[in-house]
Amino acid sequence: MKTILFSILIFISSIAFGQEIPTNKVISTANLYQYLNASVQQELSKNGVVSEVDLANYFREKFAERYFYNWKNFNNRFEIYQQLYPENKVSHTENALDHISKFADSTQWVLPFNYLNGEPVNAYALRHLARQHKMVDIAFYYNYQNKDTKYLNYFVNQVASLNSALELNQYEKIEDGNGVYEAFRSGYRVLNWLEIHNMFLGEKAYTHQDQLTTIATLLQHAANLYATNTEFVAGNHQTRGMSALAMLSILFRDFKGADNWYKRSMQLLGEHLDKEINDDGFQFERSVHYHMSDIENYYFVYQLAKLSGIKVAPFWEEKLNSLFTTLTKIAYPDKSAPVLQDDTDNPWAEKNDISGALTLGYLLFEEPSLGYFANSKVASKMYWYLSKNQLSLLDNIQKEQPNFQSISFLTTGYFVQRNGWDLNDNMMIISAGLDPDKPDHQHGDMLGVQAMANGKVVLPNYQVRYSLEDYGFFKNSMVKNVALVDDELQGKKYTSNQGGSGFGKFLALPNPKVIIWENNSKYDLFVGSHNGFENVDVAYSRQVINVKNDFWIVKDNFKSAQAHVYKQVWQGHYSVENGVNLIRATFDDATGFDIFQLHKIDNVKSEGTRGKQWSVLSKTTAGDFSFVTILFPYKGFDNRIDELKTLPDLKGWKLNAAMWVSENENTISLTKENESYFFGVKKLKYNNKTIEFSEFTDAYINTSAEKIEVKLLGNQNVGVDVKD
C-alpha cells in the first residue's frame, strides 16, 4: 500500500513539474517551487518540499548576484543618491502623493472607474497606472518617510489587486488599445516592479510571502509576454516587452521555461536591432525620444547578461554602440540635440538633453568621444542600473571633441550641416526622411530645418505630449520651419489611436526625394523635393546652402500653371524691419537672427500659441516662384543686416555685385572676393569669358587666375559650357 501511495505521489509531482507557468493566473506561493528546474528543486528540497522561507532566501541571494546592484548595499546607495540628486526628493514626493491620492492600493484595472476624488479615470491615466512608474516614487517615498510600512504595503496591495483582476478577468484588454498586459505596458511595469522588489528585499516588512508573490506575479508576466509575442511586430512596444522578458529570463533562470523566454526575447530583440536600427545608426522612428528609449531597452538586457556572464552576439554590441554614436552626430554645439518628431519628455522644449544617454554610453564603452558629452553623474533613473565600478569611471571622464563636421543619415533622412563644435558655431539639421513601414511618430516637417547659432536655437522645433489637446497641431506644419502652399499642411488625415490616450498619427505624409548632398571647404549643399503639394498641382523643391561660417541660404521652388499663395513658415519671435523682406529675432545676449528675402514678397503674418510664435511669409502669384532667403545669425547690434541699406553688407558678401554679368536682370548674386553664388542664371559674361547653362539654374563660381570653378547648386542634369 505504501509503495502504491508513493508511486501516486511521484506521478502527481511529475505532472506538476511538467507544467508550464500559466499566463492567466498567478501561481500560489506554496506551489511556486514546483515550477523550479530539477537541479534547483533538488538543492532546496527537504523531504520533497521546498519551504517558502528557503525559496525566498534563495532568491534574495540570487538577486544580490544577478540584479544591477546588490540590494544589501541599498541603504548606502540611497544615502549617496540623496547627496547626488537632492532635488529628486521633491519630485518623488509629489509623484507618490499624486498616485496615492488618485488610486486605492486595491485599485480597479478596467474602465470605467473613478479616481478617489470621484472624477472618472480616462484611458491616458489608465495607461500610466498600468506602467506603474509612480509606484517607483512611492518606494522612494517609503525611504524618505523613515520606512513607514504603509507605503511598502501600498505596493504589495497594488500588486495583489492586479492579480485579483487577472483572476476575475476584469482588466483592460489588449484590443482596447491600452491593454494592461499589452507588451509595452507590461514590459514597463516589469522594469519598475523589479526595481521596487530589489529595493525592498532587505526590509522586514516585505515578508517572505510578499517577495514570493511578487516573483510569482513577474513569472506570470513573463509567461504572458512569451505567449503573446510569437512573431516580430514593428515598433518600440514589442521591444519594451521583449526587453522585460529577457530580463526576467536572466533573473529567474531557475524556473522551467526561462530558457525559452530567453531564446524568444533575444531572437525578437535581434530582429528589432536588425530591422529598426537603420544602417546609418538611427532608430527607424526618427525621434530622439524613441531612439533613447531603445537604448534603454537594449541596455537593460546587455548589462544583466554581462553581470551573469552570458555572452551576447557581437552584432548586439555594435548596434548598441551605434545608437550612442548617432546621438553625438546630431548634437548641437552646446551638446544638446534637436527636437525630432515625437519627442515627448518636456512639452514645448526646443532641445533634447542627451547627456544622460551619452554618460551611460561612456560607462559602457569608455570612448572619449562619448565622454565629451558625459556628465559627472548619470541621470538619476540610471543610477540604480549601474555597478559601483562603472559609477567610479565618472571620477575621471576621458573627453575628446568629435572630429566629424557635416554628416548625413542617408537611410533615415537627416542631414547635418555643421561648421564646428565651439559653442558659437552654426549647425543646421534638415529632415528629409519617411519610414515606409511605421511613420506613426512622424511630424509634418518634410524638408524642414532646425538650427543653432551663437549658442541659441534660432530655428526651433518643439517637443509634444500626447495627452495635450493641441498635440495634433504641434505635430503638423505650422510649427515647423517649412514651405507651404495655400492652406495645405503636410500632414493629412490625422487620426487618434484606439485607446484614447491622445496619441495620433497622419495617414498621409509627403514622400521625400534627396537630389543632392554635397560637402566641401566652402559650403554644404542639400537639395531635395517632396510630393506634398501635388494634390494642388504644385511641384516643390528646397535647396539649403551652408555658406561656411557665415550664414545659410534657403531657396524654396514652386512650379505650377495656376495662381497660388506660396509660403515659408519660420519659428521664433520676429519683428518686421523696414519692410516685409527682413524680419528679425533677438536674444538676451544681443545676438540675433535675421531672415532676409532676396526676392520681393507680399506679406508677413505672425501667430503663436503656448508661448511660441512663428511668422508666415507669403507671395501670391500665378505660375512659378522661388523664395531666395538668407538665414543670418549675428552677434552684436552692429553686425546685423542693416535694415536701412538697400544693398547691405552680409559678412563681406555683396548683393548683386558680381564681376560676372547675367543676361537675365532677375538673376540674384552674392559675391565675396573671387566667389559668387548665382540664383536664376542662364548665361554669364566676364571680359571675354562666358558661362552658359542649358537651362536656368543656380550655381557657385570661383574665379582665379588659374581656373574657373563652376558647381551647380540645383538640378545636376543641367549642361554647362565655359568659353574663353
Side-chain angles (χ1 to χ4, degrees):
M1 185 66 183
K2 288 182 179 180
T3 303
I4 294 172
L5 181 60
F6 183 68
S7 299
I8 292 172
L9 288 173
I10 291 177
F11 176 70
I12 293 172
S13 179
S14 66
I15 292 175
F17 291 161
Q19 290 175 337
E20 293 183 353
I21 292 171
T23 63
N24 58 353
K25 69 175 183 178
V26 174
I27 304 163
S28 70
T29 56
N31 294 328
L32 190 58
Y33 78 94
Q34 297 179 0
Y35 295 84
L36 290 167
N37 290 325
S39 59
V40 181
Q41 287 184 50
Q42 185 175 0
E43 177 186 344
L44 299 178
S45 176
K46 296 175 182 176
N47 300 321
V49 176
V50 179
S51 73
E52 293 185 32
V53 172
D54 287 343
L55 192 57
N57 285 334
Y58 175 81
F59 277 108
R60 275 198 296 274
E61 291 306 312
K62 291 305 175 186
F63 255 71
E65 299 169 11
R66 297 172 183 172
Y67 194 66
F68 296 95
Y69 72 94
N70 188 336
W71 60 267
K72 297 175 183 178
N73 300 324
F74 172 78
N75 289 333
N76 178 254
R77 271 215 171 211
F78 184 60
E79 288 180 12
I80 297 172
Y81 177 80
Q82 293 180 86
Q83 295 168 13
L84 290 174
Y85 312 100
E87 69 282 358
N88 281 16
K89 183 175 182 179
V90 172
S91 60
H92 285 313
T93 299
E94 289 177 349
N95 289 336
L97 295 178
D98 177 72
H99 188 90
I100 292 169
S101 71
K102 290 178 175 177
F103 300 102
D105 53 359
S106 55
T107 186
Q108 291 178 229
W109 294 87
V110 62
L111 296 174
F113 71 102
N114 295 334
Y115 291 120
L116 292 176
N117 65 6
E119 295 180 1
V121 176
N122 61 21
Y124 184 81
L126 180 65
R127 180 176 78 166
H128 286 277
L129 170 66
R131 294 182 186 183
Q132 288 283 281
H133 59 288
K134 288 186 179 178
M135 189 62 71
V136 176
D137 295 299
I138 294 171
F140 277 109
Y141 191 59
Y142 164 79
N143 285 283
Y144 286 122
Q145 293 297 306
N146 298 315
K147 302 193 174 184
D148 187 330
T149 55
K150 68 182 178 183
Y151 300 114
L152 185 153
N153 290 332
Y154 186 97
F155 165 70
V156 170
N157 293 335
Q158 195 138 100
V159 172
S161 74
L162 178 58
N163 293 343
S164 296
L166 174 68
E167 185 175 351
L168 296 171
N169 196 32
Q170 294 179 357
Y171 59 90
E172 205 74 23
K173 305 297 191 299
I174 291 175
E175 56 265 30
D176 296 324
N178 282 293
V180 171
Y181 289 98
E182 185 269 339
F184 185 85
R185 289 157 184 87
S186 181
Y188 215 134
R189 185 166 63 251
V190 165
L191 178 70
N192 290 329
W193 281 359
L194 282 171
E195 181 178 359
I196 297 166
H197 177 70
N198 198 67
M199 194 184 296
F200 285 167
L201 279 177
E203 303 303 308
K204 290 183 179 179
Y206 194 45
T207 66
H208 298 308
Q209 190 169 42
D210 292 338
Q211 294 170 34
L212 293 181
T213 298
T214 301
I215 290 172
T217 304
L218 292 169
L219 293 175
Q220 179 270 323
H221 279 59
N224 180 270
L225 285 166
Y226 178 76
T228 55
N229 289 272
T230 58
E231 302 291 338
F232 173 83
V233 177
N236 67 309
H237 280 227
Q238 187 180 73
T239 312
R240 174 69 76 177
M242 291 303 94
S243 175
L245 182 59
M247 292 170 64
L248 293 172
S249 72
I250 294 170
L251 292 168
F252 297 118
R253 55 185 181 268
D254 320 82
F255 286 95
K256 291 181 181 294
D259 53 345
N260 291 327
W261 302 345
Y262 184 78
K263 290 175 184 176
R264 169 77 53 79
S265 60
M266 295 301 281
Q267 173 214 328
L268 290 175
L269 286 172
E271 287 192 61
H272 281 273
L273 278 168
D274 181 50
K275 297 176 181 177
E276 296 182 346
I277 308 304
N278 292 333
D279 54 9
D280 56 25
F282 218 109
Q283 203 266 359
F284 81 114
E285 291 174 292
R286 307 183 71 248
S287 157
V288 175
H289 174 100
Y290 286 96
H291 187 97
M292 292 196 295
S293 178
D294 258 10
I295 283 176
E296 286 187 6
N297 288 332
Y298 298 117
Y299 165 75
F300 293 135
V301 179
Y302 182 72
Q303 179 83 331
L304 280 189
K306 282 178 64 178
L307 289 172
S308 289
I310 300 170
K311 289 185 178 181
V312 299
F315 167 76
W316 256 75
E317 188 166 314
E318 292 165 6
K319 283 285 190 177
L320 183 56
N321 190 309
S322 77
L323 287 169
F324 291 111
T325 303
T326 290
L327 290 178
T328 70
K329 291 177 179 178
I330 64 168
Y332 279 141
D334 70 349
K335 303 180 184 179
S336 68
V339 174
L340 301 174
Q341 315 310 324
D342 270 347
D343 290 340
T344 64
D345 286 340
N346 296 295
W348 315 314
E350 298 178 2
K351 298 189 291 187
N352 275 299
D353 183 356
I354 56 174
S355 61
L358 290 175
T359 303
L360 179 65
Y362 175 72
L363 295 181
L364 275 185
F365 298 108
E366 299 182 42
E367 294 178 4
S369 59
L370 300 178
Y372 177 76
F373 299 87
N375 295 324
S376 59
K377 59 183 181 182
V378 296
S380 59
K381 172 185 174 182
M382 298 309 296
Y383 171 80
W384 301 99
Y385 297 108
L386 288 158
S387 69
K388 182 179 179 181
N389 289 337
Q390 285 175 314
L391 291 170
S392 68
L393 293 172
L394 298 177
D395 296 335
N396 184 27
I397 301 172
Q398 303 300 307
K399 295 178 179 282
E400 182 180 287
Q401 192 178 81
N403 57 14
F404 47 79
Q405 297 287 316
S406 299
I407 200 165
S408 64
F409 297 87
L410 291 173
T411 302
T412 307
Y414 286 123
F415 298 83
V416 177
Q417 297 180 341
R418 185 190 306 279
N419 290 343
W421 285 96
D422 292 338
L423 181 60
N424 290 331
D425 283 335
N426 296 346
M427 184 275 213
M428 176 177 282
I429 187 167
I430 305 157
S431 178
L434 181 69
D435 184 78
D437 299 318
K438 191 175 178 287
D440 294 13
H441 295 289
Q442 185 101 9
H443 286 209
D445 72 337
M446 197 61 66
L447 304 191
V449 300
Q450 295 175 65
M452 172 173 278
N454 297 314
K456 306 292 184 182
V457 180
V458 291
L459 289 175
N461 187 22
Y462 314 115
Q463 293 197 37
V464 297
R465 180 148 295 170
Y466 303 148
S467 59
L468 296 174
E469 290 184 0
D470 55 7
Y471 162 62
F473 175 81
F474 270 87
K475 191 162 180 159
N476 217 335
S477 306
M478 288 309 299
V479 284
K480 315 298 175 188
N481 300 296
V482 295
L484 299 174
V485 176
D486 300 331
D487 294 322
E488 297 291 321
L489 299 179
Q490 291 186 17
K492 294 177 173 62
K493 300 180 181 178
Y494 182 82
T495 180
S496 59
N497 77 333
Q498 188 180 7
S501 63
F503 171 74
K505 60 186 178 182
F506 299 114
L507 300 181
L509 285 161
N511 283 300
K513 179 182 179 182
V514 177
I515 300 168
I516 302 172
W517 172 248
E518 180 183 336
N519 315 108
N520 57 55
S521 62
K522 299 296 184 179
Y523 63 81
D524 299 316
L525 172 65
F526 170 87
V527 183
S529 64
H530 69 66
N531 64 351
F533 309 125
E534 288 183 358
N535 61 311
V536 289
D537 297 320
V538 177
Y540 168 72
S541 65
R542 169 169 274 189
Q543 297 155 251
V544 183
I545 305 167
N546 173 31
V547 181
K548 293 287 180 75
N549 302 311
D550 287 333
F551 49 78
W552 296 277
I553 304 169
V554 173
K555 185 167 181 273
D556 287 312
N557 308 293
F558 305 89
K559 293 185 178 296
S560 179
Q562 292 85 36
H564 293 282
V565 181
Y566 300 122
K567 301 175 180 178
Q568 285 183 332
V569 185
W570 299 112
Q571 303 302 306
H573 293 261
Y574 295 100
S575 61
V576 175
E577 300 296 320
N578 194 27
V580 296
N581 274 41
L582 177 62
I583 62 174
R584 173 172 297 142
T586 56
F587 305 99
D588 58 355
D589 56 356
T591 60
F593 189 65
D594 286 348
I595 299 179
F596 185 37
Q597 299 295 333
L598 303 187
H599 280 153
K600 288 186 178 181
I601 64 170
D602 295 336
N603 189 41
V604 175
K605 182 180 179 181
S606 294
E607 299 176 311
T609 186
R610 300 287 197 180
K612 305 302 180 183
Q613 194 170 343
W614 53 90
S615 291
V616 182
L617 286 59
S618 61
K619 177 72 174 182
T620 303
T621 187
D624 302 344
F625 180 74
S626 292
F627 291 94
V628 182
T629 309
I630 293 180
L631 306 179
F632 190 89
Y634 66 88
K635 193 169 187 178
F637 172 81
D638 292 332
N639 297 313
R640 77 196 190 284
I641 295 177
D642 193 334
E643 63 275 10
L644 302 178
K645 292 182 178 180
T646 305
L647 297 174
D649 182 86
L650 303 166
K651 297 186 179 180
W653 292 88
K654 305 295 184 182
L655 184 61
N656 298 329
M659 63 180 72
W660 292 90
V661 178
S662 172
E663 288 189 346
N664 179 13
E665 63 180 12
N666 293 321
T667 298
I668 291 174
S669 67
L670 288 166
T671 300
K672 185 177 185 179
E673 298 176 351
N674 295 327
E675 298 177 78
S676 292
Y677 292 89
F678 291 93
F679 300 95
V681 63
K682 194 168 191 298
K683 188 174 183 179
L684 293 168
K685 289 184 178 181
Y686 169 59
N687 291 337
N688 297 322
K689 299 180 177 66
T690 64
I691 303 173
E692 189 166 5
F693 303 94
S694 61
E695 59 184 85
F696 279 99
T697 190
D698 308 320
Y700 166 86
I701 298 177
N702 192 336
T703 307
S704 66
E706 296 81 20
K707 64 177 181 177
I708 300 172
E709 180 184 18
V710 181
K711 292 190 174 182
L712 296 175
L713 303 175
N715 190 335
Q716 293 293 70
N717 294 322
V718 174
V720 183
D721 185 16
V722 181
K723 295 179 181 179
D724 289 329

